[in-house]
Amino acid sequence: MKLLIKQEHAIYFLKDNVTEEILYGGAAGGGKSALGCLWLMEMCQKHPGTRWLMGRSKLKTLRETTLNTFFELATILKLGGQFNYKATEHIIYWKNGSEIILKDLFLYPSDPNFDSLGSLEISGAFIDECNQVAYAAWQIVKSRIRYKLTEFGILPKMLGSCNPSKNWTYKEFYKPSRDGKLQPYRRFIQSLPTDNPHLHPSYLQSLLRLDKNSRERLYFGNWEYDDDPATLIDNDSIADYFNPTHLSPEGIKYMTIDVARKGKDKTVFRIWHGWLCIKREDISKSGLDEVVARAKVLQAKHGIALSNIVADEDGVGGGVVDFLKCKGFVNNSSPLEMREGSAFVKPNYDNLKSQCSIKMAEMIVNRQTGEICDNAAVQQGTAEEMEQVKLKDIDKDGRQGIIPKDRVKEMIGRSPDEWDSIMMRYWFALRKTFNTRIRVGS
C-alpha cells in the first residue's frame, strides 16, 4: 500500500531511535487516522505478544470513526483473518498474541487523574484527534508505555493526530516547531488535504466553502486562523495564559462567579490567587441554593473574604449576590473611573463589561495573568471565547466596546460560559483604584 509523502515522513520518525512523540495532521483529509491504524497494524505483526493502545476522547466516536478506518484498511491489505475484534471487551486480538486496546480518554470529573489507566501496560499508543483530550491524558498514556520494550528493543512511541486547535497541541507542538524550539524527542508533521491525491475534488471544494476560520483551519492548516484586526487576544497569548510558568500564586485570593441564566446551562466559578487562576469548576443546570452553597464551600476552602467575591448580578445572579452577600457585577453599568497620573478620569468605555474585558485582555497579552488548567475541553472552550473578545465598530469614533454576547454565540455556536468569570477578575483592580480615590477625598 503506497503511503502519502507526509505519512512516509511520519513513519520514519515512528521507526527511529530518537523520537518518542509525533503529532501528525493540522488539517482535514491528510490521512491522519489511516496513518495511526497502519502503524498499529505493522507493530502488532512485527512484535508478537505486544500490546498497543488506540484512543480518542470518547469510545463511541472511536468505534464509529477510527475503528472503521482500521477495518477498511485491513480489508484492503487482506488482514481480516489475522485478528478478531471483541466488541464487548473493546480489544482487537491478533493471532500472534498482540493486542490493540480501544480506550476512552475523556477527562471525567470522577477520574481527574486518569486512575483508570493506572494498571495499564502498553508497548505504544495512537491517539486520534488528540486535541480533543486533555494534556494530562497524553502524559499518563505515555507513562504506561513499558510493556515488552526491552524484549523487542522498542523505544516508547506516541502518535497523535489533530486539526489546528488553540490548546496544548498548539502550545506543546505547533508553536515550538514554528519557532524552532521543539524538543528533539518530539516531531510535528503538517499534513494538508492537498497532500492527498486520493481525495475527491468535490470534498476539497466543500472545505473551501466553509466559513473563513474553518476554511483556514481545515483546508489551509492554519493554526493562526483568526487575523481580525479587532481581536484583542492573539493566539500565543491564549496559549501562554494556560501555561503560566511565569506566574506564581501570591497576594490576596478572589472568587468570580458567572451565574447561569436564561440561555446558559452552567454556573462557572474561578478562584484567583493574585492574578493566577488556581481553580475552576462549574455546576450544570443549578438552582440558586446550590450555587450559593457551592460558593460558600469554595470560600471556606480557599479562605476568601466576602468582599473579595464578585458574582454576575444580571438576572438570577442578583439572587446569588443577595443570599451570599458578596459583591455584584452589572455588565451594562457605567465604567469605573481610573487613575491617570494624579487625577481620576472617566474612561472611554461603553459599559463596565467592556472596560473589564479590554483591560483583562491587556493583562493576558502582557503575560500578567494566567490559569492552571489541565482540562482540554475547558481550555478549548475558553480559547474559542477569548478569540471572540473583539472591539466593535473599530472604524467609528466614540466609546470603546466589545462585540455583544449574542454575536459571540453566533460565532462559536454555543453560549459563552467562560470569559465572564475571567474578565470579572479585573473588577477588583478597578475597585482598588476607586476605593483609593474615596479615601483621598475623605
Side-chain angles (χ1 to χ4, degrees):
M1 184 174 184
K2 185 171 179 56
L3 299 177
L4 305 178
I5 293 177
K6 295 292 181 66
Q7 289 176 329
E8 291 180 348
H9 290 172
I11 290 293
Y12 172 83
F13 294 116
L14 284 167
K15 293 183 177 182
D16 71 10
N17 294 319
V18 176
T19 312
E20 299 177 9
E21 302 175 30
I22 301 99
L23 185 67
Y24 179 85
K32 302 187 295 294
S33 298
L35 171 68
C37 292
L38 289 170
W39 177 58
L40 292 181
M41 288 177 181
E42 181 180 356
M43 293 298 100
C44 284
Q45 295 177 88
K46 185 176 181 180
H47 305 297
T50 50
R51 186 183 302 129
W52 305 79
L53 180 143
M54 178 193 292
R56 194 158 176 164
S57 176
K58 289 296 184 70
L59 182 61
K60 182 176 183 292
T61 306
L62 176 63
R63 295 175 64 179
E64 292 173 348
T65 56
T66 316
L67 183 60
N68 281 334
T69 299
F70 182 93
F71 291 149
E72 290 170 5
L73 291 170
T75 299
I76 294 172
L77 296 172
K78 299 180 180 180
L79 294 176
Q82 300 300 312
F83 63 85
N84 181 32
Y85 172 58
K86 292 291 185 67
T88 55
E89 301 176 29
H90 313 304
I91 298 177
I92 300 170
Y93 291 98
W94 291 78
K95 287 187 175 181
N96 67 358
S98 294
E99 300 174 6
I100 299 176
I101 303 171
L102 277 60
K103 274 291 183 181
D104 183 318
L105 298 175
F106 186 76
L107 180 59
Y108 292 100
S110 59
D111 187 19
N113 298 316
F114 294 94
D115 293 330
S116 60
L117 301 175
S119 60
L120 183 68
E121 290 190 15
I122 54 177
S123 310
F126 165 51
I127 302 180
D128 206 5
E129 300 297 346
C130 63
N131 55 299
Q132 297 173 1
V133 308
Y135 184 45
W138 177 272
Q139 292 177 304
I140 294 297
V141 169
K142 185 180 180 184
S143 73
R144 301 298 179 256
I145 303 177
R146 56 178 180 262
Y147 188 65
K148 293 192 175 182
L149 301 185
T150 302
E151 179 179 337
F152 290 100
I154 302 173
L155 188 72
K157 295 277 185 176
M158 288 270 293
L159 171 63
S161 75
C162 74
N163 292 321
S165 299
K166 305 291 178 52
N167 62 3
W168 66 268
T169 54
Y170 178 96
K171 178 181 66 180
E172 297 291 333
F173 283 88
Y174 173 76
K175 183 184 176 185
S177 178
R178 180 200 66 188
D179 298 340
K181 298 179 180 179
L182 193 62
Q183 296 291 335
Y185 65 89
R186 284 178 165 173
R187 291 287 175 175
F188 169 70
I189 300 172
Q190 179 90 21
S191 178
L192 303 176
T194 49
D195 295 328
N196 189 349
H198 308 299
L199 293 177
H200 195 279
S202 62
Y203 175 73
L204 298 178
Q205 288 300 315
S206 69
L207 293 179
L208 288 170
R209 285 193 289 269
L210 295 172
D211 65 87
K212 181 178 181 295
N213 280 358
S214 296
R215 183 171 65 249
E216 288 292 323
R217 288 179 62 242
L218 302 179
Y219 184 87
F220 294 106
N222 182 7
W223 291 72
E224 323 284 356
Y225 46 82
D226 191 349
D227 59 356
D228 189 337
T231 299
L232 293 176
I233 311 175
D234 62 275
N235 301 326
D236 287 355
S237 297
I238 293 173
D240 288 342
Y241 174 82
F242 287 112
N243 186 32
T245 55
H246 51 289
L247 296 173
S248 299
E250 57 185 7
I252 299 172
K253 289 184 178 180
Y254 304 92
M255 185 193 308
T256 55
I257 311 172
D258 184 31
V259 185
R261 53 194 178 276
K262 187 177 180 179
K264 289 182 56 177
D265 64 356
K266 64 183 178 182
T267 293
V268 178
F269 304 85
R270 275 185 164 84
I271 307 299
W272 303 82
H273 195 168
W275 286 100
L276 181 65
C277 178
I278 58 173
K279 174 73 174 177
R280 179 263 181 213
E281 67 174 58
D282 63 70
I283 301 177
S284 298
K285 298 181 179 178
S286 49
L288 179 60
D289 292 346
E290 187 179 1
V291 173
V292 173
R294 189 59 197 162
K296 288 181 176 179
V297 169
L298 291 171
Q299 177 193 5
K301 180 179 179 180
H302 295 280
I304 304 172
L306 269 177
S307 59
N308 290 329
I309 302 174
V310 64
D312 176 6
E313 198 169 0
D314 294 340
V316 179
V320 174
V321 172
D322 291 339
F323 281 93
L324 191 60
K325 302 187 185 307
C326 65
K327 302 300 181 181
F329 187 100
V330 180
N331 289 294
N332 289 319
S333 61
S334 298
L336 297 178
E337 292 183 341
M338 300 175 67
R339 181 190 293 274
E340 287 190 7
S342 60
F344 284 84
V345 298
K346 191 165 186 177
N348 190 34
Y349 301 108
D350 60 2
N351 57 39
L352 181 60
K353 179 175 181 179
S354 290
Q355 180 182 25
C356 287
S357 292
I358 292 170
K359 298 303 291 184
M360 194 61 177
E362 290 179 5
M363 294 288 291
I364 293 171
V365 171
N366 291 331
R367 277 48 171 193
Q368 294 173 308
T369 184
E371 180 168 342
I372 298 172
C373 177
D374 288 328
N375 188 319
V378 170
Q379 287 192 25
Q380 180 68 20
T382 304
E384 289 177 351
E385 294 180 30
M386 285 183 172
E387 292 169 5
Q388 300 305 322
V389 180
K390 301 180 180 182
L391 295 174
K392 64 179 181 180
D393 303 324
I394 61 174
D395 296 326
K396 298 180 181 179
D397 295 329
R399 294 181 176 179
Q400 285 188 316
I402 60 170
I403 61 174
K405 181 168 287 189
D406 57 350
R407 285 265 308 278
V408 175
K409 185 176 181 179
E410 291 176 5
M411 292 298 297
I412 65 178
R414 60 173 174 80
S415 176
D417 295 325
E418 304 294 339
W419 176 249
D420 282 2
S421 68
I422 294 174
M423 67 85 186
M424 279 192 287
R425 170 61 184 89
Y426 201 85
W427 181 83
F428 293 106
L430 295 174
R431 182 193 64 170
K432 182 178 179 181
T433 300
F434 185 72
N435 287 342
T436 300
R437 178 177 182 270
I438 294 299
R439 287 197 295 272
V440 170
S442 60

